[in-house]
C-alpha cells in the first residue's frame, strides 16, 4: 500500500513539473509583453514578438542539451542474434504498385529465415488492391486489406497485430518506399537482448531527390537524424513510423498503437516511455531507398500531417508521467512546430507593421535589445552549424535549403495549428510517392509572394524613414526591423523559386525481379 502511494505521489510530482515547464514559454512571454507593450491595439503583436524569441530560446535550449548527449553517442555493440521471430509489416494506401512491390522484395530478403512479411494494404483503389494481392499471393507474402480505415495507419497495424501478433516476438514497420538492406535484422535484433529495449529505430533515407523541394526535405532531416535522434537514443528516441522494430509484448501492454493521433508513431512511443522502457536509435545506413516529397503539394501534405499530429499530442503529453528530461524532449517537438507555423507568421507581420504603418509595438531600448539578442542569434547559428559539421553533406548549402523549405511550410503548419485549436479533424493523406508532376501551383505560394513583396516594401520604407529619423533610439529600432525584414527575404525568394522549379528527370525506376523473393 505504501509503495502504491509513493508511486502515485511520484506521478503527481512528474505531472506538476511537466505542466510548469510546458507553461513556462507562455508565462515568460506574458510577463515580457505586460512590461513592454505600447497599446492595446498592438498587444497581440507584442505578445507574438516575445513569443517568437521565447519559443525559439526553448527550442534552442533543448537542441543544445540533445547535442551534448549526441556527442557521447556510440552505436551499441551488436553480436549474436537472439532467437526472436519477426513480423515485417509494409503499409500502403493507394501507393504506386511498382514501388510497393520492390519494397516488399527488399523486406522479404531481409526477413528471410526470421519470420514473415505482411502487406497491410488500405488502398481504396480496386485496381491497386487487385494487383498487389496477386503479387503477394505469387511471392509468399501475407496480404491484409480492411473495409474501413479506422485509426488510419495505426489502426491497420493494430488489426494485423491482433490477428497474428501471438505468433511473433517483434514487429517491424516499413513505409511503401523505405527499403531495408539485406542484413537489416542481423544488425537490429541484437539490441533486443536487453529486455528493457522495446523499440529500435533506424534513420530513414531520402535517396530519390530529383527536385529542389526534395533536396530541401532531405537536408531538413539531417540535423534531426544525425544530432537530435542520436542524442535521444536510450531515453526519448521515438518511432518515425518506418524503419521501426517493436517488441510485440510491449505494444500489447500499452494497448497496441495509439489511434488518437495521426502521428501514431510518436504517440505510441510516449506510452512506452511512460513505463520506463528503453528505445534505441541505431544510426546506421540500413535503409537503401526512400522517396521524399518531390513537389510543393506533396511537401505541404507531409508537413501538415506531421505538425497536426504533434499538436494533437499536446494534451496527452501534459497528462503523461514522463520524466522531466524526456518530457522536455517531446515538448520541444511541439514548440518546433509552433515556431515554424504561427510564430513565423508573427515574425513577418511585426516589421511590416512597424516600418509601413510606423506603429510602435514594444517599449524597449533598441540598443540594449541589439546587444542582448544579436549575440544570442549568432551563438545559436554557430552551435547549429558546428553540431552538423561532418554530418554528411549538410554545409552552407544544406543550411540554405533547410531554411527555404521551412519557410515554405509556414502557411500549412499555421493551418494545422488553427485546425487543432478549433478541434477540427484533417483527412489523413500519405505523402505521394513515385510522382513526377512538375507541379507549379501558384495558389500554394501566393502568400509567400505577398509576404516577400511586403517585406521588401517595409525595408525600403524603413531605410527612407531611417534617413529622416531625428533620435538615435529611433534609428536603432528602424535598423533592427529593416534587418529582420531583409533577413527573411532570401529564404522566401528561395522558396518561391524552389516551388516553381521543374522536377528533374531522374534515373529510370529499377524494378527488382520479384522471383528473387521466392
Amino acid at each position: 500500500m505504501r509503495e502504491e502511494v509513493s508511486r502515485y505521489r511520484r506521478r503527481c510530482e512528474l505531472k506538476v513539473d511537466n505542466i510548469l515547464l510546458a507553461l513556462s514559454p507562455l508565462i515568460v512571454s506574458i510577463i515580457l509583453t505586460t512590461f513592454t507593450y505600447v497599446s492595446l491595439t498592438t498587444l497581440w503583436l507584442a505578445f507574438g514578438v516575445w513569443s517568437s524569441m521565447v519559443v525559439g530560446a526553448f527550442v534552442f535550449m533543448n537542441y543544445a542539451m540533445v547535442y551534448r548527449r549526441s556527442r557521447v553517442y556510440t552505436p551499441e555493440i551488436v553480436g549474436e542474434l537472439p532467437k526472436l521471430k519477426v513480423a515485417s509489416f509494409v503499409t500502403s494506401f493507394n501507393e504506386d504498385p511498382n514501388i510497393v512491390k520492390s519494397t516488399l522484395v527488399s523486406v522479404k530478403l531481409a526477413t528471410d529465415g526470421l519470420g514473415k512479411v505482411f502487406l497491410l494494404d488500405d488502398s481504396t483503389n480496386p485496381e491497386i488492391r487487385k494487383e498487389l494481392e496477386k503479387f503477394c499471393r505469387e511471392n509468399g507474402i501475407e496480404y491484409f486489406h480492411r473495409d474501413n480505415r479506422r485509426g488510419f495507419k495505426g489502426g491497420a497495424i493494430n488489426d494485423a497485430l491482433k490477428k497474428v501478433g501471438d505468433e511473433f516476438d517483434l514487429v517491424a514497420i516499413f513505409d511503401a518506399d523505405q527499403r531495408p538492406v539485406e542484413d537489416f535484422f542481423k544488425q537490429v535484433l541484437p539490441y533486443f537482448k536487453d529486455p528493457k529495449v522495446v523499440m529500435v529505430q533506424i534513420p530513414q533515407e531520402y535517396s530519390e531527390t530529383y527536385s529542389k523541394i526534395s533536396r530541401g526535405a532531405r537536408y531538413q532531416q539531417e540535423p534531426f537524424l544525425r544530432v537530435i535522434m542520436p542524442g535521444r537514443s536510450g531515453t526519448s528516441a521515438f518511432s518515425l513510423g518506418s524503419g521501426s522494430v517493436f517488441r510485440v509484448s510491449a505494444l500489447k501492454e500499452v494497448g497496441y498503437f495509439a489511434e488518437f493521433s495521426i502521428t501514431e508513431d510518436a504517440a505510441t512511443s510516449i506510452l512506452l516511455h511512460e513505463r520506463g522502457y528503453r528505445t534505441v536509435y541505431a544510426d546506421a545506413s540500413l535503409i537503401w531507398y526512400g522517396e521524399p516529397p518531390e513537389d510543393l503539394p506533396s511537401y505541404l501534405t507531409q508537413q501538415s500531417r506531421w505538425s497536426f499530429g504533434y499538436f494533437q499530442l499536446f494534451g496527452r503529453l501534459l497528462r503523461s508521467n514522463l520524466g522531466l528530461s524526456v518530457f522536455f524532449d517531446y515538448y520541444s517537438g511541439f514548440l518546433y512546430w509552433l515556431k515554424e507555423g504561427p510564430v513565423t507568421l508573427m515574425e513577418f507581420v511585426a516589421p511590416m507593421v512597424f516600418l509601413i504603418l510606423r506603429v510602435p509595438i514594444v517599449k524597449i531600448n533598441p540598443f540594449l535589445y541589439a546587444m542582448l539578442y544579436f549575440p544570442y542569434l549568432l551563438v545559436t547559428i554557430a552551435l547549429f552549424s558546428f553540431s552538423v559539421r561532418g554530418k554528411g553533406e549538410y554545409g552552407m548549402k544544406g543550411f540554405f535549403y533547410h531554411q527555404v523549405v521551412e519557410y515554405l511550410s509556414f502557411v500549412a503548419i499555421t493551418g494545422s495549428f488553427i485546425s487543432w485549436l478549433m478541434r477540427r479533424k484533417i483527412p489523413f493523406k500519405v505523402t505521394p510517392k513515385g510522382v513526377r508532376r512538375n507541379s507549379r501551383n501558384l495558389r500554394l505560394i501566393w502568400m509567400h509572394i505577398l509576404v516577400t513583396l511586403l517585406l521588401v516594401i517595409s525595408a525600403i520604407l524603413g531605410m527612407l524613414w531611417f534617413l529622416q529619423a531625428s533620435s538615435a533610439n529611433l534609428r536603432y529600432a528602424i535598423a533592427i526591423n529593416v534587418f529582420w525584414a531583409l533577413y527573411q527575404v532570401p529564404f522566401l525568394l528561395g522558396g518561391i523559386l524552389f516551388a516553381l522549379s521543374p522536377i528533374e528527370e531522374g534515373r529510370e525506376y529499377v524494378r527488382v525481379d520479384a522471383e528473387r523473393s521466392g
Side-chain angles (χ1 to χ4, degrees):
M1 180 66 178
R2 188 170 295 176
E3 287 184 11
E4 290 181 7
V5 172
S6 177
R7 282 197 297 268
Y8 176 76
R9 184 176 298 167
R10 177 58 180 157
R11 286 197 296 268
C12 291
E13 290 172 353
L14 287 173
K15 286 185 178 180
V16 170
D17 291 344
N18 293 345
I19 290 172
L20 287 175
L21 175 59
L23 291 177
S24 295
L26 176 63
I27 293 171
V28 173
S29 298
I30 289 174
I31 292 172
L32 291 170
T33 302
T34 300
F35 285 101
T36 61
Y37 81 95
V38 176
S39 69
L40 292 177
T41 305
T42 57
L43 178 64
W44 64 276
L45 194 49
F47 177 76
V49 168
W50 286 118
S51 295
S52 169
M53 291 188 239
V54 173
V55 168
F58 271 77
V59 172
F60 169 72
M61 190 190 315
N62 181 260
Y63 185 84
M65 293 169 62
V66 172
Y67 167 62
R68 184 180 179 183
R69 299 202 299 260
S70 75
R71 294 183 65 185
V72 297
Y73 166 82
T74 51
E76 298 181 24
I77 298 174
V78 297
E80 184 179 341
L81 284 177
K83 294 181 179 180
L84 298 172
K85 194 173 181 182
V86 180
S88 292
F89 289 177
V90 177
T91 60
S92 176
F93 174 57
N94 292 333
E95 310 272 7
D96 180 344
N98 289 333
I99 293 177
V100 179
K101 291 176 186 178
S102 293
T103 298
L104 286 169
V105 170
S106 292
V107 173
K108 184 160 188 184
L109 287 171
T111 314
D112 186 43
L114 299 171
K116 288 184 180 180
V117 180
F118 301 82
L119 174 61
L120 314 186
D121 182 25
D122 266 7
S123 297
T124 55
N125 185 317
E127 294 301 318
I128 291 177
R129 292 207 313 262
K130 183 178 179 181
E131 183 175 349
L132 290 176
E133 185 175 13
K134 180 175 181 291
F135 178 85
C136 290
R137 187 169 57 251
E138 292 173 348
N139 290 276
I141 296 167
E142 297 288 332
Y143 178 85
F144 280 163
H145 176 75
R146 304 184 301 166
D147 294 327
N148 66 79
R149 298 206 65 232
R150 190 209 76 257
F152 304 112
K153 180 179 174 180
I157 295 171
N158 287 343
D159 287 350
L161 273 177
K162 288 171 184 176
K163 288 183 178 179
V164 304
D166 291 340
E167 303 174 32
F168 300 93
D169 304 294
L170 305 174
V171 59
I173 314 296
F174 299 98
D175 280 348
D177 67 315
Q178 293 282 313
R179 299 173 193 163
V181 298
E182 196 163 346
D183 64 344
F184 179 93
F185 289 109
K186 293 177 182 176
Q187 297 194 48
V188 170
L189 262 59
Y191 288 105
F192 287 96
K193 287 189 292 186
D194 180 352
K196 293 293 288 181
V197 171
V198 297
M199 192 274 293
V200 176
Q201 176 64 55
I202 301 300
Q204 297 179 347
E205 177 63 36
Y206 281 167
S207 60
E208 309 305 292
T209 54
Y210 302 122
S211 70
K212 293 186 181 300
I213 295 287
S214 61
R215 284 190 284 275
R218 179 170 65 86
Y219 283 124
Q220 184 183 17
Q221 291 297 303
E222 284 301 296
F224 174 73
L225 294 175
R226 309 304 169 198
V227 178
I228 294 176
M229 285 295 281
R232 294 178 64 162
S233 182
T235 55
S236 61
F238 63 96
S239 168
L240 304 180
S242 182
S244 309
V245 184
F246 288 89
R247 198 181 293 273
V248 174
S249 59
L251 289 176
K252 289 181 179 179
E253 184 181 329
V254 298
Y256 297 94
F257 272 80
E259 297 183 19
F260 59 84
S261 171
I262 59 174
T263 49
E264 76 295 323
D265 39 19
T268 304
S269 301
I270 289 173
L271 300 178
L272 294 171
H273 285 132
E274 280 188 305
R275 284 160 174 77
Y277 285 123
R278 291 186 67 224
T279 54
V280 173
Y281 181 73
D283 192 5
S285 299
L286 300 181
I287 301 290
W288 66 270
Y289 181 98
E291 291 199 11
E294 290 283 1
D295 57 12
L296 186 58
S298 302
Y299 177 71
L300 295 183
T301 294
Q302 179 198 73
Q303 297 294 291
S304 178
R305 185 178 75 249
W306 288 357
S307 59
F308 185 77
Y310 229 104
F311 292 142
Q312 281 183 317
L313 285 179
F314 181 68
R316 183 62 183 83
L317 199 55
L318 287 182
R319 300 191 302 274
S320 69
N321 299 316
L322 298 173
L324 191 61
S325 175
V326 176
F327 176 86
F328 191 25
D329 288 345
Y330 277 106
Y331 181 53
S332 68
F334 172 84
L335 292 179
Y336 167 80
W337 291 113
L338 195 65
K339 176 177 175 292
E340 297 305 317
V343 168
T344 293
L345 185 59
M346 293 297 101
E347 292 174 352
F348 294 148
V349 175
M352 294 178 194
V353 169
F354 181 72
L355 297 173
I356 295 176
L357 302 179
R358 299 191 179 184
V359 174
I361 299 169
V362 295
K363 292 181 293 187
I364 186 172
N365 186 300
F367 182 75
L368 176 63
Y369 169 88
M371 290 297 96
L372 293 174
Y373 189 74
F374 284 108
Y376 158 75
L377 176 65
L378 292 175
V379 167
T380 60
I381 294 174
L383 176 65
F384 183 79
S385 301
F386 183 79
S387 70
V388 295
R389 189 177 63 175
K391 310 285 185 182
E393 303 174 356
Y394 192 82
M396 290 303 297
K397 178 181 178 181
F399 176 79
F400 179 73
Y401 273 62
H402 179 173
Q403 296 300 307
V404 163
V405 294
E406 284 192 336
Y407 272 83
L408 271 173
S409 64
F410 84 92
V411 176
I413 296 172
T414 301
S416 293
F417 179 72
I418 293 171
S419 295
W420 170 66
L421 286 180
M422 300 182 71
R423 298 183 178 275
R424 293 177 181 168
K425 291 185 178 180
I426 63 173
F428 181 91
K429 296 180 180 179
V430 298
T431 306
K433 305 173 185 71
V435 178
R436 297 288 185 270
R437 291 182 289 194
N438 285 317
S439 175
R440 301 185 184 186
N441 196 332
L442 287 173
R443 182 180 61 83
L444 295 176
I445 56 171
W446 72 266
M447 179 67 81
H448 302 81
I449 295 171
L450 177 61
V451 168
T452 305
L453 288 174
L454 289 174
L455 286 174
V456 171
I457 292 170
S458 300
I460 293 172
L461 293 177
M463 292 175 192
L464 295 175
W465 187 14
F466 181 89
L467 296 175
Q468 302 167 1
S470 56
S471 71
N473 276 349
L474 181 57
R475 285 196 295 271
Y476 279 129
I478 294 169
I480 289 170
N481 280 273
V482 168
F483 167 80
W484 279 120
L486 292 177
Y487 175 81
Q488 301 175 104
V489 168
F491 301 118
L492 284 164
L493 280 175
I496 293 167
L497 293 175
F498 278 23
L500 297 177
S501 297
I503 297 175
E504 302 160 10
E505 289 298 322
R507 297 186 296 274
E508 287 296 320
Y509 186 79
V510 179
R511 190 166 177 170
V512 182
D513 185 359
E515 290 182 0
R516 289 179 59 200
S517 67

